Amino acid sequence: MKQSRDQYYFDTMNSTANFAKEAALYLQETLASFDTATFPEKVEAMHDIEHAADDLKHAMTERLSREFMTPIELEDLVALSHELDNVVDCIDDVMQRIYIYNITAMREDVKPLCALLVHCTDALCKAVKELANFRKSETIRKEIIEVNSLETDADAQYMKAMRTLYTTEKDPISILAWTNLYEDLEDCFDACEHASDVIESVIMKNS
């Protein structure tokens, strides 16, 4: 019974991490073939992913409130659940920002950022999947390092994109919109790194 109960938490976190990867892939696909005519329905589809991730987090939090023993410390489970859900929230925010600001065309530097985000969420998924067996895992630390490395790469891409924006764009409304959009994209990578930091903290506490 205990093993089954413990597995529920690891399975739930795996599912939430997979929602993050699904959201990143959907963002990449949507912005690669950006179409203002169909974009509102794409925003709704992304929000469905975010809502599903929220439901998982709430169900897990509600179950934790009744739990006496957990496979790792309760506060770590809560923190990781929150940070994984926050990755999906941040990706959803990007889509909402594009819609609110009525962006009509994608800038070229969005593509490499989206590609990095897909890789980052993939590495995060792999790290979360290894968490149940972290003491024996030969790859979990590699995936944590990969998330951190991709976040660093994204920072460099963010600075480059912002520099290009402020040296080439003249319209102040466009500058404001894209400044916030790039910041939202950077938040996605920060959220991935925060989740991987929680995983690393769990490993340190239990090693």
Side-chain angles (χ1 to χ4, degrees), residues 165-166 169-179:
L165 174 67
Y166 277 83
E169 182 58 63
K170 304 302 180 186
D171 178 36
I173 294 177
S174 184
I175 291 173
L176 173 64
W178 278 98
T179 295

Side-chain angles (χ1 to χ4, degrees), residues 171-189:
D171 178 36
I173 294 177
S174 184
I175 291 173
L176 173 64
W178 278 98
T179 295
N180 289 328
L181 182 53
Y182 287 133
E183 287 175 353
D184 282 348
L185 280 165
E186 188 185 31
D187 286 344
C188 297
F189 292 94

Side-chain angles (χ1 to χ4, degrees), residues 39-58:
F39 190 69
E41 64 191 59
K42 303 281 190 180
V43 174
E44 287 301 315
M46 178 67 83
H47 197 62
D48 287 343
I49 299 172
E50 187 271 338
H51 185 67
D54 269 349
D55 284 347
L56 273 181
K57 184 186 77 169
H58 294 319

